[in-house]
Amino acid sequence: MADTRGHCESKESRVPYEPIRIRRQWLAAVMLLATGSAAQTQDFPNRPIRLIAPFAAGASTDFLARTIAQTMSRNLGQPVVVDNKPGAGGILAAEQTARAAPDGYTFMLTSAGIVTMNQSIYSQLPYDPIKEFAPLTIAVRMPIVVVVHPSLPVKSVPELLAYAHAHPGKLSYGSSGVGTSQHLAGELFKSMTKASILHIPYRGGGPAMNDLLANQIGLMFVQLPSALPQIQAGKVRAIAIGSEQRDPKLPAVPTVSESGLKGYNSDTWYGFVMPTGAPSAIVQTLYQAIIAALKENAQRLSGHGFNVDGSNPQQMADTIATEAKKWALVIKAADIRAD
């Protein structure tokens, strides 16, 4: 009689060992993915990188983006291509960045407003600035300068406040739009002084500056690079700097804080972020490449009104968290809404 025990044992023995076979296949797949990921990280970058800029071509911030991109391209050995996506308060550019693959091939030049103000100004955003962006660095800082038309009989912050209180509702300031850093700088000033100054939003800083030059508005809280040529030409008068320290380009102009408004700081900045989830090695590669480009172009950027910062990712994250709380209070007090 034939012995069938070997056949039976073979059939029964396959069941207990099936999970082991599946586990081995799973481990092999994980190892393959890990190996591929490591190789991709070590090989980064091996194709062009896209730098999304939420500003129009030709703007001072576009100059910043292209200056950094050009140097990074040379140092990384791959093109860093600037992709201008202006409009909607930076929301369009931010959404595209947040939805991009976290592989290091897409990052964004951001304003402070995109990651610290928009969430309090808009009831709904298609991106979460805290959860969906990995900070890289605060690249540059740009002081806000308070400028007035030369015909306005004020040469200091105390004189501006005296004039505003003596002429309630007659003094107006222009900005580049509702919810912009220029607007918020003005509202912070008003909240701390209770001054009666009317806000007039424009479609960009250029039209606002044109109306200031034409004496259609009395003053602006404007980024120094945009105002410096007009200040040097005597077409507007700078009465104070909105940052914590005086600016070396205008050493004789006092800060708002030292002019009597203690604690006022409307300093604005621009930095770089990328989609969250990228390997730490890729984050470090981009961060180091940006820092190197900033150092190499520090003098050139300074000539255009930018003060190079170069913070590390954690410092940028801390700044975003602190300033988001600060501006949320100002936005709520002024009841600012953009939608």
Side-chain angles (χ1 to χ4, degrees), residues 91 117-126 336-339:
I91 293 176
M117 300 174 185
N118 279 359
Q119 57 266 48
S120 296
I121 295 172
Y122 295 88
S123 58
Q124 291 185 331
L125 282 179
I336 299 171
R337 289 289 179 269
D339 57 1

Side-chain angles (χ1 to χ4, degrees), residues 56-286:
S60 60
T61 42
D62 183 57
F63 166 80
L64 169 63
R66 293 182 185 279
T67 298
I68 298 304
Q70 184 178 25
T71 303
M72 288 180 68
S73 297
R74 185 178 67 251
N75 293 344
L76 292 175
Q78 291 291 340
V80 178
V81 182
V82 177
D83 185 6
N84 295 95
K85 298 291 182 184
I91 293 176
L92 175 62
E95 182 179 14
Q96 288 196 12
T97 303
R99 301 293 173 262
D103 54 10
Y105 289 97
T106 300
F107 70 117
M108 179 179 73
L109 173 63
T110 181
S111 66
I114 292 174
V115 291
T116 68
M117 300 174 185
N118 279 359
Q119 57 266 48
S120 296
I121 295 172
Y122 295 88
S123 58
Q124 291 185 331
L125 282 179
Y127 68 94
D128 187 318
I130 304 300
K131 296 180 180 179
E132 295 185 292
F133 291 146
L136 290 169
T137 182
I138 293 177
V140 297
R141 291 186 178 274
M142 293 171 59
I144 293 285
V145 58
V146 186
V147 293
V148 301
H149 190 272
S151 66
L152 197 66
V154 300
K155 295 183 179 180
S156 66
V157 168
E159 289 182 3
L160 175 63
L161 292 176
Y163 185 91
H165 290 312
H167 304 83
K170 293 185 178 181
L171 190 59
S172 60
Y173 80 95
S175 81
S176 52
V178 173
T180 62
S181 56
Q182 294 180 8
H183 180 196
L184 270 288
E187 292 307 312
L188 177 62
F189 184 87
K190 288 169 59 178
S191 70
M192 295 178 69
T193 62
K194 309 305 178 185
S196 177
I197 306 175
L198 177 65
H199 169 236
I200 300 179
Y202 289 79
R203 292 183 178 273
M209 178 59 73
N210 288 338
D211 264 13
L212 177 61
L213 296 174
N215 200 21
Q216 297 300 307
I217 53 176
L219 70 152
M220 282 185 70
F221 298 80
V222 60
Q223 287 83 353
L224 181 55
S226 299
L228 191 57
Q230 311 298 344
I231 295 171
Q232 293 171 335
K235 295 181 178 180
V236 297
R237 180 188 301 127
I239 64 171
I241 292 289
S243 52
E244 294 178 340
Q245 298 177 340
R246 295 193 183 195
D247 193 275
K249 288 174 282 299
L250 295 174
V253 179
T255 66
V256 174
S257 184
E258 67 180 301
S259 298
L261 208 57
K262 299 296 183 182
Y264 180 92
N265 182 9
S266 59
D267 207 9
T268 188
W269 50 263
Y270 295 90
F272 295 93
V273 296
M274 64 185 298
T276 56
S280 59
I282 288 179
V283 174
Q284 280 299 309
T285 297
L286 278 181

